[in-house]
């Protein structure tokens, strides 16, 4: 099996770590429960393919993975201070 190249491995593992921490934090804030459930569901959907891709890397799968991150951001990362999967990704991989 081919593993993801170093910058993609670093980017996507950081995306996973950040997404899980944000999801955990969002679910603890019970002020708008249904909004938080939608947010976390979308977040987990955006990162769901990452673990498998990291350990069975195929360069052709990188674009669809990134598109899921971009889609999440297009719906939920509207303001500069909002949690953004692509900000985390771009710390490791130049677009």
């Amino acid at each position: 099996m081919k593993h993801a190249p170093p910058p993609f491995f670093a980017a996507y593992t950081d995306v996973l770590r950040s997404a899980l921490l944000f999801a955990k934090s969002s679910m603890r804030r019970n002020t708008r429960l249904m909004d938080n459930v939608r947010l976390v569901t979308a977040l987990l959907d955006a990162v769901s393919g990452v673990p498998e891709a990291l350990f069975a890397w195929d360069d052709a799968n990188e674009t669809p993975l990134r598109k899921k991150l971009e889609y999440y951001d297009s719906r939920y990362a509207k303001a500069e201070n909002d949690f953004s999967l692509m900000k985390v990704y771009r710390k490791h991989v130049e677009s």
Side-chain angles (χ1 to χ4, degrees), residues 31-94:
T31 55
R32 297 183 327 250
L33 183 59
M34 287 312 297
D35 290 340
N36 290 345
V37 168
R38 284 185 198 94
L39 173 78
V40 170
T41 300
L43 179 63
L44 295 176
D45 181 53
V47 301
S48 64
V50 170
E52 182 180 350
L54 290 176
F55 291 102
W57 189 257
D58 180 346
D59 290 340
N61 292 336
E62 204 283 320
T63 298
L65 282 174
R66 188 172 15 89
K67 294 245 181 242
K68 288 183 87 173
L69 305 183
E70 291 168 345
Y71 179 73
Y72 171 85
D73 281 3
S74 74
R75 292 189 64 208
Y76 295 100
K78 306 249 186 220
E80 180 64 29
N81 291 332
D82 289 345
F83 176 75
S84 166
L85 292 171
M86 287 306 296
K87 280 183 189 174
V88 175
Y89 175 90
R90 286 187 187 109
K91 288 190 311 185
H92 304 278
V93 179
E94 293 297 320

